[in-house]
Amino acid sequence: MRDWSAFEIGYDVPALPGMALSDVQTPALVVDLDALERNLDRMRTHAAAAGMRLRAHAKSHKSADIAALQIGRGGACGICCQKVSEAEAMVRAGIGDILVTNEVRDPVKLDRLARLAERARIVVCVDDPENVGPLSRAARRHGVTVEALVEIDCGAGRCGIRPGAPAVGLAQAIAAAEGLRFAGLQAYHGPAQHIADPAERAATIAAAADVTARTVSLLWDAGLACDIVGGAGTGSFPFEARSGVYNELQCGSYVFMDADYERIRAEDGGRVGGFENALFVLTSVMSRPRPDRAVCDAGLKALAVDSGLPRVFGREGVRYDGASDEHGVLAIDGGDVAIDERIRLVPGHCDPTCNLHDWFVALRGETVETLWPVTARGKVF
Ligand code: PLP
Ligand code: MN
């Protein structure tokens, strides 16, 4: 337990445990613990029903506390990180099993990655045979084994070697390299996550699963087994889960949901995965200049708007209409808000929103239960 007596509201933290929601200093990143726990339970159930491992993506929250909950209550086998610095923050905080779902090429970063393998299981993605030698040398220098997944481009058009023979050649090079262990395939399809139509999303993942299955089979013929066939995000995971090809799900946003993920539908017409809003930016009304307009204190420095403006939560007739650096304009159309009133906003995109804050204020109902640091905030290097 953290000793909160040394923390001063305003200077250090936006709130302290035991405080009422109405006293939280805004804008603040708040988590509804009951909703978060239900999301953890839902994802655990989905993964178990599919007979798959969950390796939750920690880039969404960058919090070692939430990562620990995902591994504990949420049943995850470990976490994913996107950056070496993110992985460093998580290893320091005691997380023991990390997949860096990215290519690492800079020699200093390779060295930092290998050093982490002295303290945790480290898996990394590789999409180029030229990367194998430097990665192997870094592992040998530290006397560790670094596990490597061959990342294939399964249709996403980002990183990844071509599936089939090129991927097999790369896997063989990894398997032959000292200090490395070939651990399987990374086959994540990013653009599929936000395809609105579930049938189109299903077809996109079916095509990705197809090229992935062919590569798994070619690897098997070459004597190489895939321990991990990883991919999937919050939007597409039911399709990877039913593919019979993937065995690890890398969902991240599921733990919070965001306004962008609310817009896409599951096959049953409901929300993807049944996940509910657990993350909010709490904001206060600071000006009421006209009957049809209010201004709140959460703008671009409190909210990422790359995937659209936030949604006002639980209030009819009030809409977030525009963001500038430190202001949010609320259009009042049938609803009402009072000066200094606290309002919950559902961020358009959860991941970059979390990276704007130092603390999660964790609420149980309307009371602050605890605070969690955004452990890997700014760890983008
Ligand atoms: N896996 C990888 C490689 C990703 O890049 C991402 C997100 O971009 C995810 C998993 C998790 O996706 P989501 O937050 O949509 O669940
Ligand atoms: Mn995202």
Side-chain angles (χ1 to χ4, degrees):
M1 272 296 277
R2 199 180 287 270
D3 174 12
W4 292 106
S5 62
F7 287 81
E8 195 173 332
I9 289 188
Y11 285 104
D12 304 308
V13 283
L16 283 170
M19 244 173 138
L21 176 65
S22 53
D23 292 329
V24 172
Q25 293 298 285
T26 62
L29 196 59
V30 304
V31 171
D32 177 332
L33 285 171
D34 292 327
L36 181 93
E37 288 167 4
R38 287 191 292 269
N39 286 345
L40 290 171
D41 295 346
R42 286 183 183 102
M43 192 68 227
R44 182 182 191 133
T45 303
H46 290 313
M52 297 178 84
R53 289 186 297 269
L54 168 67
R55 180 181 287 282
H57 215 307
K59 81 188 176 92
S60 300
H61 48 73
K62 287 176 166 277
S63 155
D65 295 278
I66 297 177
L69 283 173
Q70 288 174 311
I71 291 169
R73 181 173 182 143
C77 66
I79 61 167
C80 299
C81 289
Q82 205 76 296
K83 296 300 183 90
V84 175
S85 53
E86 218 168 58
E88 286 168 336
M90 293 294 168
V91 169
R92 274 188 201 186
I95 304 294
D97 189 340
I98 298 177
L99 162 61
V100 176
T101 55
N102 229 336
E103 280 63 30
V104 178
R105 303 304 297 257
D106 170 72
V108 175
K109 285 193 174 69
L110 285 168
D111 196 73
R112 288 163 50 203
L113 188 76
R115 201 167 60 204
L116 287 181
E118 295 169 2
R119 298 168 62 183
R121 179 191 185 197
I122 297 294
V123 191
V124 67
C125 293
V126 176
D127 70 355
D128 176 3
E130 297 288 319
N131 194 190
V132 174
L135 182 59
S136 161
R137 281 193 290 282
R140 281 179 358 235
R141 221 167 23 245
H142 288 273
V144 296
T145 299
V146 173
E147 300 187 39
L149 300 183
V150 169
E151 178 166 16
I152 57 171
D153 181 357
C154 62
R158 195 166 67 178
C159 302
I161 195 167
R162 275 179 297 126
V168 174
L170 175 53
Q172 285 168 326
I174 292 166
E178 218 181 306
L180 304 186
R181 175 175 175 272
F182 170 70
L185 292 180
Q186 170 76 358
Y188 175 70
H189 200 304
Q193 303 311 316
H194 296 275
I195 297 175
D197 174 21
E200 197 187 321
R201 213 177 319 130
T204 304
I205 296 302
D210 213 51
V211 298
T212 306
R214 262 198 309 114
T215 308
V216 170
S217 156
L218 286 173
L219 285 163
W220 183 259
D221 293 345
L224 292 168
C226 293
D227 281 356
I228 299 175
V229 181
T234 302
S236 74
F237 79 90
F239 310 120
E240 281 92 346
R242 77 163 68 134
S243 68
V245 181
Y246 291 81
N247 62 12
E248 278 193 8
L249 301 173
Q250 302 176 350
C251 306
S253 303
Y254 78 95
V255 78
F256 292 147
M257 283 297 285
D258 57 32
D260 197 33
Y261 262 131
E262 286 169 7
R263 284 187 275 270
I264 72 160
R265 295 290 101 196
E267 283 176 303
D268 65 2
R271 281 184 170 213
V272 287
F275 302 117
E276 62 189 292
N277 297 109
L279 180 80
F280 307 93
V281 168
L282 190 71
T283 186
S284 308
V285 176
M286 58 183 186
S287 176
R288 195 76 174 78
R290 282 180 10 187
D292 62 349
R293 186 197 304 154
V295 182
C296 70
D297 60 5
L300 297 173
K301 293 185 188 172
L303 288 155
V305 300
D306 60 289
S307 302
L309 294 175
R311 176 172 72 83
V312 174
F313 183 77
R315 302 288 298 259
E316 293 298 315
V318 183
R319 194 166 39 82
Y320 193 100
D321 201 31
S324 49
D325 278 358
E326 311 285 7
H327 298 82
V329 173
L330 301 174
I332 309 297
D333 181 13
D336 200 8
V337 295
I339 289 288
D340 203 34
E341 195 178 337
R342 302 293 193 269
I343 292 173
R344 293 187 193 210
L345 302 173
V346 177
H349 193 179
C350 58
D351 321 51
T353 297
C354 294
N355 193 49
L356 295 170
H357 296 263
D358 288 329
W359 295 93
F360 289 101
V361 177
L363 302 171
R364 189 71 69 180
E366 301 276 304
T367 306
V368 176
E369 184 167 294
T370 192
L371 278 84
W372 294 321
V374 185
T375 324
R377 179 185 183 190
K379 298 288 189 271
V380 293
F381 39 84

